[in-house]
Amino acid sequence: QVQLVESGGGLVQAGGSLRLSCAASGRTFSSNAMGWFRQAPGKEREFVASISYSGRTTAYADSVKGRFTISRDNAKNTVYLQMNSLTPEDTAVYYCAASGMKMTTTQASYNSWGQGTQVTVSS
């Protein structure tokens, strides 16, 4: 397993942008597919984006497609989530997670989770 620490959350106005980072410790980061999830108040945690261990393949939830971009830098053991055109509906705690070799959108397949970072979008 890898240890994950998210950063970059905060308060932003609607239409603005934020970039989240997730720093991983451990030597196995580059062999892990990674994902971002979010949980809004009163709602279940949901899939946002995922990226293969190589970074060549990505997947997005329909609600963020075209606005969010997931990327990774294996030399820095870091995965990113660039969020543009934010709306109040994007307000949530954002979590990064590692899923092993296989890229997946299924939460149950992720075995390492960060503590989360709050993103708040004001209207």
Side-chain angles (χ1 to χ4, degrees):
Q1 289 190 353
V2 295
Q3 288 72 49
L4 304 171
V5 178
E6 302 95 336
S7 62
L11 175 64
V12 64
Q13 288 189 332
S17 299
L18 280 175
R19 188 175 82 155
L20 305 183
S21 299
C22 175
S25 62
R27 293 177 292 176
T28 60
F29 174 78
S30 61
S31 62
N32 274 270
M34 300 293 295
W36 285 97
F37 292 79
R38 68 185 181 186
Q39 186 167 21
K43 295 186 178 181
E44 294 186 351
R45 189 160 58 185
E46 64 176 3
F47 168 76
V48 174
S50 60
I51 188 167
S52 63
Y53 67 89
S54 67
R56 286 194 288 267
T57 305
T58 58
Y60 297 92
D62 288 344
S63 59
V64 307
K65 203 171 293 183
R67 300 187 299 122
F68 290 11
T69 302
I70 188 171
S71 62
R72 67 189 296 162
D73 185 337
N74 285 344
K76 295 183 178 179
N77 277 14
T78 302
V79 62
Y80 305 97
L81 185 68
Q82 177 66 44
M83 306 186 295
N84 299 329
S85 302
L86 285 161
T87 73
E89 289 68 39
D90 296 315
T91 295
V93 177
Y94 283 72
Y95 300 88
C96 73
S99 67
M101 288 288 288
K102 184 178 180 181
M103 191 181 88
T104 177
T105 64
T106 305
Q107 284 194 55
S109 298
Y110 286 81
N111 50 37
S112 297
W113 292 82
Q115 82 290 347
T117 186
Q118 177 70 47
V119 171
T120 303
V121 184
S122 63
S123 57

